[in-house]
Amino acid sequence: MSTEKSSLHTRNLHRNPYDFDTLISCVPELKEYVFVNVHGTTTINFSIPKAVKLLNKALLLHFYNVKGWEIPDTNLCPPIPGRADYVHYIADLLAEKQSGIPTGISVKGLDIGVGANLVYPLIAHQSYGWKMLGVDINEDSLKNAQQILDQNPDLSSEIVLQHQPDSQYVFKNVIGAKDQFTFSMCNPPFHDSKESMIKGNIRKTKNLNKGKAQKTLLNFGGQQSELWCEGGELAFITNMINESVQYSSQVLWFTCLVSKKDNLYKLTSLLKKVKALEVKTIDMAQGQKISRVLAWTFVPQKSRQGWLV
């Protein structure tokens, strides 16, 4: 018998077991991938990319009224519950010392590495009404994200996409001289090489199939820019922190997911060095792994209220 997923945020709409009858009514094709496992639980095989993609499509339609969500087989297919958690923890961050969670388009979020799936902006806007800018270095990913927006014209003025032409930079070329963002968010590339990514993919496939050796599914999803970069997660976030100093008065809260706990000490030490005024680490369970949100700001406490009205 499935129980509530208590590790997820209390406002997460996916804490309860999936209602597959309802989800199949949203996306009938999902039915052929749904089965009852040895524990008597109705589920799908999460190592089959097509099954996960159809589940995502149904979840986004049912819970967030997102129509026509599609991504290419070559792109990352994200777990919706974990992605929603990150958004809700950002909402908590913005709500501190406020009378409630700030909602509506006065809150402007920046998603670094939005990908083809557009999931963070979709969930952020549909949950809290925030205005979102999604940025990526991969133009094909942005084209697909735009196709999702084209299927949902009511979102097209609230979610905007932009190309980052230079992979050396995170915020440069994106944040203009007069731009102000309430927060930035990022799920950075995890691996430091293609070889590391393939090994991790093999481990993930084995875990999902209870250790049984099966053909590795490299289209678990992911372009290079989504899965690996030179120096891996630590190098990417280090670059982000160093660059954030130049935009310290234009972003209230910079945030980023950190998968490797060992990286936290170096990153928080760097944040002290660059004189961030406040640094927070928020633990977050994402399926089988624990991740955490690293958040930092250069804005004094007394000045933050003005960002949230």
Side-chain angles (χ1 to χ4, degrees):
M1 183 82 178
S2 295
T3 55
E4 185 180 71
K5 300 166 192 168
S6 58
S7 62
L8 293 175
H9 192 283
T10 53
R11 288 193 304 279
N12 196 311
L13 300 177
H14 312 290
R15 284 170 65 90
N16 293 317
Y18 294 133
D19 179 348
F20 279 101
D21 288 340
T22 299
L23 295 175
I24 289 167
S25 72
C26 294
V27 179
E29 195 183 347
L30 177 63
K31 185 175 183 178
E32 60 187 274
Y33 295 95
V34 175
F35 67 98
V36 179
N37 66 18
V38 293
H39 305 292
T41 303
T42 303
T43 187
I44 62 168
N45 184 338
F46 284 89
S47 70
I48 300 174
K50 177 75 170 176
V52 177
K53 192 191 295 190
L54 290 169
L55 174 62
N56 279 3
K57 186 173 185 175
L59 290 172
L60 288 166
L61 178 57
H62 177 62
F63 288 100
Y64 304 101
N65 196 32
V66 175
K67 303 170 187 71
W69 184 86
E70 278 291 345
I71 57 169
D73 291 339
T74 50
N75 284 89
L76 195 64
C77 193
I80 301 297
R83 295 298 194 263
D85 251 26
Y86 187 4
V87 171
H88 293 308
Y89 281 112
I90 287 176
D92 288 347
L93 188 66
L94 300 182
E96 287 184 0
K97 296 183 169 54
Q98 304 295 312
S99 56
I101 295 169
T103 58
I105 59 172
S106 61
V107 175
K108 293 176 179 156
L110 171 60
D111 180 11
I112 302 294
V114 65
N117 60 70
L118 195 67
V119 162
Y120 285 131
L122 291 170
I123 294 175
H125 180 70
Q126 296 299 74
S127 299
Y128 297 111
W130 298 338
K131 194 174 180 73
M132 296 293 297
L133 172 63
V135 175
D136 209 287
I137 62 170
N138 188 307
E139 292 186 84
D140 288 335
S141 292
L142 288 173
K143 282 177 187 171
N144 192 84
Q146 185 58 53
Q147 286 174 3
I148 296 170
L149 287 176
D150 291 344
Q151 295 287 318
N152 298 272
D154 53 318
L155 303 180
S156 60
S157 63
E158 314 302 350
I159 299 175
V160 179
L161 302 173
Q162 188 172 329
H163 181 233
Q164 165 59 275
D166 193 334
S167 61
Q168 291 183 75
Y169 299 113
V170 178
F171 303 112
K172 186 179 176 181
N173 306 319
V174 170
I175 300 180
K178 295 182 179 178
D179 289 337
Q180 297 274 121
F181 290 95
T182 320
F183 67 89
S184 68
M185 64 190 307
C186 180
N187 186 3
F190 177 76
H191 299 285
D192 58 8
S193 68
K194 186 175 183 180
E195 291 70 32
S196 166
M197 182 265 291
I198 290 171
K199 284 178 184 174
N201 197 291
I202 291 169
R203 280 196 304 274
K204 187 173 179 181
T205 306
K206 280 187 175 178
N207 287 341
L208 286 170
N209 287 293
K210 309 300 186 219
K212 295 174 188 170
Q214 291 196 359
K215 182 182 177 186
T216 304
L217 296 166
L218 292 182
N219 66 341
F220 243 120
Q223 299 287 328
Q224 177 206 323
S225 58
E226 294 176 317
L227 293 173
W228 66 273
C229 69
E230 191 76 33
E233 174 182 89
L234 181 60
F236 188 96
I237 304 173
T238 296
N239 183 38
M240 179 185 287
I241 290 171
N242 283 324
E243 203 181 331
S244 72
V245 179
Q246 301 167 48
Y247 299 91
S248 59
S249 63
Q250 293 181 266
V251 180
L252 174 56
W253 281 103
F254 297 91
T255 78
C256 189
L257 288 183
V258 181
S259 293
K260 293 183 180 178
K261 190 176 182 181
D262 293 348
N263 288 337
L264 274 178
Y265 177 76
K266 290 179 182 176
L267 294 170
T268 52
S269 297
L270 176 59
L271 284 164
K272 285 179 187 171
K273 186 177 175 184
V274 299
K275 296 184 170 54
L277 292 182
E278 191 172 354
V279 177
K280 290 177 177 288
T281 302
I282 304 160
D283 286 334
M284 188 172 74
Q286 286 198 307
Q288 296 175 332
K289 68 173 185 174
I290 299 292
S291 190
R292 63 265 328 143
V293 179
L294 181 63
W296 65 99
T297 183
F298 299 93
V299 178
Q301 180 73 57
K302 64 181 187 298
S303 304
R304 293 176 199 170
Q305 179 67 34
W307 289 73
L308 300 167
V309 290

